Amino acid sequence: MRWSVLDSPVGELSLAVDDDGLCRLRFGAIDLGPDRARDELLTAAEEQLKAYFAGELTQFDLPLSVRSGSQFERAVWERLKQIPYGEMQTYGDVAKALGDPGAARAVGVACNRNPIAVVVPCHRVVGAGGKMVGFGGGIPTKRFLLELEARITLETAWL
């Protein structure tokens, strides 16, 4: 894997790519050591994330490389990519969409294990009644991402 660290409005983000695509996005910086690899895929991921945070990008167009996770976790991660920008669904909604209405907690665990946060938008999943619960980047980061998307959605609706 090749890594880079990107400064963002929610703090430093560590990005990793392999030969097939973006495979990790973690909150916080990792130690890159003296060798900072430059790579077309890393550059594309950084540019798209910068555009997302600037409100200029509402859908990522990056090849993803996910090689971990159970079959259920992978199904959850695929479902998360279908939640539209600026919208939220509950853990129960995602469980129902996957055909297992009783699996809301398991959806929460899968969201927590999402290896490509933000790009695979687990921040768009909230607790019952819209409660802000659980997020690997912390609740303030989740709130920031949801507010960013809501603001951009409203601004573009008025154009």
Side-chain angles (χ1 to χ4, degrees):
M1 284 192 289
R2 300 171 303 278
W3 288 87
S4 72
V5 176
L6 174 70
D7 285 323
S8 81
V10 295
E12 293 178 311
L13 301 174
S14 296
L15 312 172
V17 297
D18 61 19
D19 291 338
D20 296 322
L22 181 67
C23 55
R24 296 280 186 277
L25 191 152
R26 295 182 179 163
F27 294 96
I30 63 160
D31 181 14
L32 296 174
D35 298 326
R36 288 186 169 233
R38 287 313 321 146
D39 176 287
E40 283 183 34
L41 201 46
L42 276 173
T43 299
E46 290 172 353
E47 293 305 313
Q48 286 193 28
L49 281 160
K50 287 176 186 176
Y52 168 82
F53 285 113
E56 300 164 355
L57 180 84
T58 60
Q59 186 169 341
F60 291 96
D61 181 26
L62 294 166
L64 304 181
S65 178
V66 179
R67 298 172 191 224
S68 63
S70 68
Q71 183 177 357
F72 180 79
E73 289 170 335
R74 286 172 172 258
V76 169
W77 300 335
E78 283 301 314
R79 179 70 184 110
L80 298 178
K81 292 189 291 185
Q82 296 173 28
I83 301 172
Y85 181 91
E87 294 185 19
M88 296 182 294
Q89 293 183 3
T90 66
Y91 296 101
D93 292 336
V94 174
K96 286 177 197 163
L98 294 173
D100 191 352
R105 286 181 191 255
V107 168
V109 171
C111 287
N112 187 308
R113 294 181 180 162
N114 174 10
I116 311 174
V118 183
V119 175
V120 176
C122 54
H123 61 277
R124 295 180 190 154
V125 184
V126 296
K131 281 188 169 181
M132 289 285 171
V133 293
F135 187 63
I139 297 298
T141 298
K142 184 172 190 163
R143 184 179 320 275
F144 176 91
L145 296 171
L146 291 171
E147 288 175 352
L148 168 71
E149 292 185 8
R151 180 178 54 81
I152 297 304
T153 299
L154 284 172
E155 287 175 2
T156 56
W158 291 102
L159 291 178

